[in-house]
Amino acid sequence: MPEWTFDKFGHGGDYNPDQWRHIPGIFEEDLRLMKKSHCNLMSVGIFSWAALEPEEGKYDFEWLQKVLDGLYENGVSVFLATPSGARPAWMSRSYPEVLRVEANRVRNLHGDRHNHCYTSPTYRKFVNKLNTALAERFGKHPAVVGWHISNEYGGECHCELCQNAFREFLKNKYGTLENLNHAWWTGFWAKTYTDWGQLESPAPHGEHAVHGLALDWKRFVTHQTVDFMAAEIEPLRAITPDLPVTANFMGTYPGLDYFRFQDVLDVSSYDSYPRWGAGDATDEEIAHDAGFKYDVTRGILRKPWILMESTPSQVNWQNICRPKKPGMHLLSSMQAVAHGADSVQYFQWRKSRGSSEKLHGAVVDHVGNENTRVFRDVTEVGEWLEKIQPVLHADVPAETAVIFDWNNRWALEEAQGPRKDKKYEEQVKEHYAAIRRLGADVDVIDMEQDFSPYKLIVAPMLYMIKPGVGEKIEKFVENGGTFVTTHYTGYVDENDLCFLGGFPGPIRKVMGIWAEEIDALYPGQKNGIRMNDGREYECGFMCELIHSEGAEVKAVYTDDFYAGRPVLTKNSFGKGEAWYVASRADQAFLDDFYKEITASAGVSLPGEQTAGVLMSRRVKDGKTFLFVQNFSGCAKEAAIPAGVDLITGEEVGGKTEMKVNEVKIIELK
Ligand code: GLA
Ligand code: ZN
């Protein structure tokens, strides 16, 4: 499959010149401003279906030809989009089956976007024809360097076509209804299915008690979306086999298991909108959240990725939308690069004049010129991207992996008890942030990926353990790896059936513990962790009551009827160690714990850390590039290892003053 080999850092964004065709001079002005802001890559045609096919079967490609020619002549390359994210009104009117049916079984009207059925043969046919025509006409255009497939795939359709496809999916998976009934435990509440036709997707006014069904439906939605994408790219692959394809994803969006797109993506991409300056979290916390999503995006293919959208100033869809403070645009853009992005792209180039995104941040504002703070910020990023060329396509040297798994997440969401909100993503991020605060680079992967590249694997709340994963964890530890997991791990198999014979099921042996009961605490209720050396920390949320079956007890609970029972254990297994943290521990615990664990696991760290100043690395051709990012909101003195500042060319090292929102990129000695 083709690679993303664009020979510069991409800089640009969603470009919608079709909205401005009726105003002379705008396109020429865009070209002038792109040059001025050091932009070299635009995504064109994302929502252009009505402009490309104004009437059924009548294509109008002339405007796009002029746009691509003009961009190319001015040194700007293009991600050519397939416009399936929104369709023209004529299609919805003539072929209502293309419209989505919601879980309540009511078909949507034409409207909004991302409102189509992924199964509809009619919709697929229209997409295929237009994509074929686009590829034939523009696939060899010298401006085009990749395909931007659709836009932010998401949502689900419950129409009859989708119901039938779901039944086929289940037939393929289970073969017989007997197998399905067993996997879904349908003896419960008289749910036994005796005919495939009885199967229906979950509905608010219908079935929502069968967890196996709910889980398989979510898997089907991913399957069908991947299948739709595969159908979209089929003609593109045939006509333009050398052009890489990407689809812009939404980080940890709950509705799609992004790891299942591995086979249809050449490069992964992400639309990132962190809430910098929010009142309820610090910028450092927001940076860890953003970093986590960058690492999820990179984890899909485990290679550099595209930051496909970000706002150069503010969004218009959060409850409160703050513009970026001075320095934040550069800092946040470089943070994405630090985590493996090979581009900084924006939504959008020119602010729309009308409709729902007219007040969303853009590079070119309604004032229409370059004399804005935002335009200057964007230009600065463009200049930086040119100066850090040696970093292009460099890897992120992660020796630690954190497991964030959609199937596990879905099973946790379904599980009733011991508390409603499981806070899976939050808890994974708490562990992630503790490791990142040490400066360690982290891959975020799912449980199906290869564990062998890592020294440390952290899998908080691995409630579901799919077949083979227990063995994989055992092997990883046996061979010298360090594995960490927490409370509420190893409860169910891939069908959401509880493991019999004691939790944590298939990893009971490698963990050397048995989890007998679990307590859930109300907000404000706490327990404590007392380490063998006397140090104490707080814990709560869930407290699991575990027994050692050979593991060393490193800490015990301080309170309640289980005071004195283990809360932290370490099992030496083969050449490695398996750690069990039986409760949700406070930040002080996680910080101390991972300091010790990364040291014993031999994870390489970039040196002394300063609170709020994040460090990340990329490596290429034996060179290491260190990104030092001050998200603390105040000036800081940071300890910087010796190297050369890629922007100033100066030698740096030692105690260094970092201004508010300052970032440095250093080639280490
Ligand atoms: C998403 C979409 C864009 C735009 C932005 C606004 O990421 O892909 O089309 O709507 O949000 O932030
Ligand atoms: Zn449908």
Side-chain angles (χ1 to χ4, degrees), residues 117-119 157-159 161-162:
C117 170
Y118 288 121
T119 306
C157 176
H158 296 256
C159 77
L161 295 165
C162 287

Side-chain angles (χ1 to χ4, degrees), residues 14 47 113 151-152 248 271 273 309 315-317 347 357 360:
D14 286 19
F47 291 113
R113 57 175 175 175
N151 192 69
E152 293 191 340
N248 51 335
D271 300 344
Y273 295 100
E309 293 179 22
V315 298
N316 71 338
W317 48 263
F347 181 84
E357 289 185 324
H360 190 290

